Amino acid sequence: VQVLSRTLRVEVPLTPGWNLVGIPFELTETCGAVLSSYVTLGYDADTQCFVPDAEAAPGSALWLYVDEEEPEPLVLRGTPQEEAGTVTLKEGWNLVAPLYGMDDMAALPEGVTAGFGWSKGMERRLSTEELAVPGKAYWLNAPASQVIWTEE
């Protein structure tokens, strides 16, 4: 018996300029190649600095620059992680994304502040109920390093 892995798909609308994209699963090689065709920035929570060409790992987030006037949506394709995944915060500000298939992404530990999201070129404050969208990414502030989301 051969078990084929299932392919997951998340469509992320893009607008001209900077877009914030969350990586919800292991990307296919083709999808990784598509992402590498854009100018991207990641955020290093250890140094609290932006870094160019950051790794697109599950739970991470990337700023992606689009120079087209009417861009097509970005289609993320990938597979679930082989082992249960987690999203870990460092002390201070973190730019993170929920993993695909998590049931309770809105639950944040005490002291973790839901910060901001980015939508259609505007940064805005979030409520915790808005933290459950695969393909989106969020700024969260943590008083200490801790795991916030675990994929069952």
Side-chain angles (χ1 to χ4, degrees), residues 13-71:
L14 297 177
T15 58
W18 288 102
N19 294 262
L20 188 53
V21 176
I23 309 300
F25 40 65
E26 294 283 346
L27 299 177
T28 64
E29 284 185 40
T30 304
C31 188
V34 169
L35 271 180
S36 68
S37 70
Y38 291 96
V39 173
T40 60
L41 290 174
Y43 185 75
D44 184 332
D46 288 320
T47 62
Q48 302 282 295
C49 294
F50 289 99
V51 292
D53 303 320
E55 181 184 0
S60 68
L62 296 173
W63 284 105
L64 184 140
Y65 188 79
V66 176
D67 60 5
E68 302 166 28
E69 287 188 32
E70 294 182 25

Side-chain angles (χ1 to χ4, degrees), residues 8 28 48 78 108 129 146 152:
L8 304 172
T28 64
Q48 302 282 295
L108 293 176
E129 292 79 30
Q146 59 194 290
E152 300 298 327

Side-chain angles (χ1 to χ4, degrees), residues 94-112:
N94 296 263
L95 188 55
V96 294
L99 300 173
Y100 189 89
M102 299 172 80
D103 290 331
D104 191 13
M105 293 181 282
L108 293 176
E110 187 175 330
V112 174

Side-chain angles (χ1 to χ4, degrees), residues 104-108 112-115 125-132 138 140 149:
D104 191 13
M105 293 181 282
L108 293 176
V112 174
T113 305
R125 198 142 204 40
L126 297 172
S127 66
T128 55
E129 292 79 30
E130 295 177 276
L131 296 176
Y138 310 98
L140 302 178
W149 294 315

Side-chain angles (χ1 to χ4, degrees), residues 13-20 63 117-124 136:
L14 297 177
T15 58
W18 288 102
N19 294 262
L20 188 53
W63 284 105
W118 186 263
S119 181
K120 297 187 184 201
M122 290 181 28
E123 186 174 61
R124 64 184 187 81
K136 297 279 187 179

